[in-house]
Amino acid sequence: IGQWCDKNNVMHTGHVLAEQTLSSQTSVVGSCMRFYEHMQAPGIDILTEHQREYDTAKQVSSAARQFGRKWRITETYGCTGWDFSFAGHKAIGDWQAALGINLRCQHLSLYTMEGEAKRDYPASIFYQSPWWTFYSKVENYFARIHAVMTQGEEVRDLLVIHPVESMWMLCRKDWKRDPEVSRYDKMLIELRDSLLEGGIDFDYGDEDILSRHGKVETGNSAPLLVVGKARYKAVIVPPLKTVRHSTLSLLKKFRSAGGTVVFAGQACGFVNALPSKEAIDFSKMCERAPAGGKGIVKPVEKTCRRISITDSSGKAIPDSKQCISWGISALQSKARKSC
């Protein structure tokens, strides 16, 4: 379908099912990122106002960057309800925009509310809602945000090996009852949050995509690991349960050229799903870090930090949680002075 769309100058878009966690992907589609390679405008689906599917957005924005796709679409606001406020519309759109999503497909605008139509995932973003004539306040805001975000090129220097194939190792009869499955889902969430809270942005690297589009680039500057059209100065290997031999070979070549490879947590004892010490032995030659917390930021900070958020005295705030707390305190202090 993607090839046909390329040939006929149209855009193939959509989203795949169960994007949000390693285990949900394994259950339904195997690996989300491999679908995005063949979409001219890859997308995601965000339901309810409570879901914070940061990995869903990171997966699609990573693949889009790697394959030079300008547009990353979100089907959003489904299942939010008739009483969903503009503040909620903004909040859901904001975190998606921060993670690389730049095209909005609002769910939904009803042509009619007759019969069963009134039951379809309200609210209708159309004339049936009393606030419809004011909705440009939301859309003009995001139009400006996305206009900025689609100019120039994204810069993310860190690649994180996506561990979905390691979750496949846990897939067996009654596997969802295995507590190791939920622990492994939580591992990636903690790793991702630790990097983003520390102000280090990154892309995910699917191992199948890496096997076909990954290479090492050397020249006058520092070595780069190249995935399609994206380039990286450092790689983090999370606590995998198995790693492809092609991935290991690529990382060895990158490190030999002088690139930064960091093993977070324990190195795996399987290569291509077969017992092997190759990854463990290689990890001893690389930098090591915990799989979450502030310690994971330190080994990649020198090569990958582009921004730093500071307080009023110019001192760096180590993570975004503290930044939020400091900002709230500052606002409260300002409010008290105003009163």
Side-chain angles (χ1 to χ4, degrees):
I1 294 172
Q3 291 171 355
W4 186 93
C5 288
D6 265 336
K7 183 179 178 180
N8 291 275
N9 196 32
V10 294
M11 297 176 73
H12 174 33
T13 189
H15 69 83
V16 297
L17 189 60
E19 308 146 305
Q20 57 270 32
T21 65
L22 299 175
S23 60
S24 64
Q25 288 183 58
T26 299
S27 295
V28 182
V29 296
S31 170
C32 289
M33 292 184 69
R34 297 176 203 184
F35 290 81
Y36 306 145
E37 177 181 350
H38 307 290
M39 294 181 179
Q40 283 74 32
I44 62 175
D45 184 17
I46 300 297
L47 296 175
T48 81
E49 59 186 290
H50 309 293
Q51 301 280 28
R52 293 294 182 266
E53 296 181 20
Y54 299 149
D55 285 324
T56 301
K58 289 300 290 180
Q59 288 166 171
V60 80
S61 60
S62 298
R65 179 178 175 232
Q66 289 158 3
F67 292 102
R69 308 304 195 189
K70 177 179 180 180
W71 299 109
R72 305 87 187 266
I73 194 168
T74 175
E75 180 186 356
T76 194
Y77 304 140
C79 307
T80 51
W82 289 97
D83 59 347
F84 190 47
S85 69
F86 280 15
H89 282 248
K90 179 180 181 296
I92 291 177
D94 277 346
W95 71 253
Q96 292 183 69
L99 297 175
I101 307 302
N102 58 19
L103 186 60
R104 291 154 57 73
C105 176
Q106 298 86 348
H107 191 154
L108 82 172
S109 297
L110 289 167
Y111 290 107
T112 176
M113 286 180 61
E114 292 182 358
E116 290 299 312
K118 69 173 67 69
R119 308 297 180 195
D120 184 17
Y121 299 104
S124 176
I125 306 176
F126 205 18
Y127 70 89
Q128 298 96 340
S129 293
W131 41 259
W132 163 243
T133 55
F134 304 100
Y135 197 64
S136 60
K137 299 293 183 182
V138 174
E139 287 308 312
N140 286 345
Y141 166 78
F142 282 112
R144 294 184 177 101
I145 294 291
H146 294 165
V148 171
M149 288 181 59
T150 51
Q151 305 302 309
E153 296 181 359
E154 295 163 291
V155 178
R156 292 192 283 271
D157 296 314
L158 177 63
L159 183 74
V160 175
I161 303 299
H162 198 289
V164 69
E165 292 189 5
S166 289
M167 180 60 82
W168 298 354
M169 295 278 282
L170 299 176
C171 188
R172 56 181 66 88
K173 183 180 179 182
D174 295 329
W175 68 295
K176 288 294 184 71
R177 298 179 184 179
D178 183 353
E180 179 61 19
V181 172
S182 60
R183 283 197 295 266
Y184 205 62
D185 275 335
K186 291 176 182 176
M187 175 279 298
L188 185 60
I189 292 170
E190 183 181 359
L191 187 150
R192 167 254 288 166
D193 284 349
S194 297
L195 289 171
L196 294 179
E197 287 167 7
I200 304 293
D201 204 357
F202 66 92
D203 282 340
Y204 282 123
D206 179 88
E207 289 197 76
D208 185 68
I209 292 174
L210 286 173
S211 71
R212 292 178 287 110
H213 299 282
K215 63 180 181 179
V216 176
E217 187 178 275
T218 58
N220 296 328
S221 59
L224 299 171
L225 194 147
V226 179
V227 185
K229 297 185 177 182
R231 286 163 169 75
Y232 305 98
K233 295 180 179 179
V235 181
I236 285 181
V237 184
L240 302 178
K241 296 184 179 299
T242 184
V243 63
R244 287 196 184 203
H245 188 267
S246 57
T247 303
L248 211 50
S249 297
L250 183 66
L251 294 178
K252 286 181 178 180
K253 185 176 180 180
F254 181 53
R255 187 193 175 280
S256 295
T260 300
V261 178
V262 180
F263 276 78
Q266 187 174 354
C268 64
F270 289 80
V271 175
N272 290 344
L274 297 173
S276 172
K277 293 183 178 180
E278 186 178 0
I280 296 173
D281 291 340
F282 176 55
S283 71
K284 295 175 182 177
M285 304 166 60
C286 302
E287 295 195 52
R288 304 300 299 270
K294 297 177 183 178
I296 197 172
V297 173
K298 189 174 181 180
V300 297
E301 194 160 23
K302 183 178 180 181
T303 54
C304 299
R305 179 167 297 286
R306 293 278 181 164
I307 61 168
S308 181
I309 303 172
T310 61
D311 61 21
S312 57
S313 65
K315 184 179 179 181
I317 302 171
D319 61 57
S320 62
K321 285 183 178 178
Q322 289 191 29
C323 179
I324 292 169
S325 298
W326 177 84
I328 291 172
S329 298
L331 288 171
Q332 290 173 339
S333 176
K334 187 175 182 180
R336 284 193 294 269
K337 290 179 181 178
S338 298
C339 291

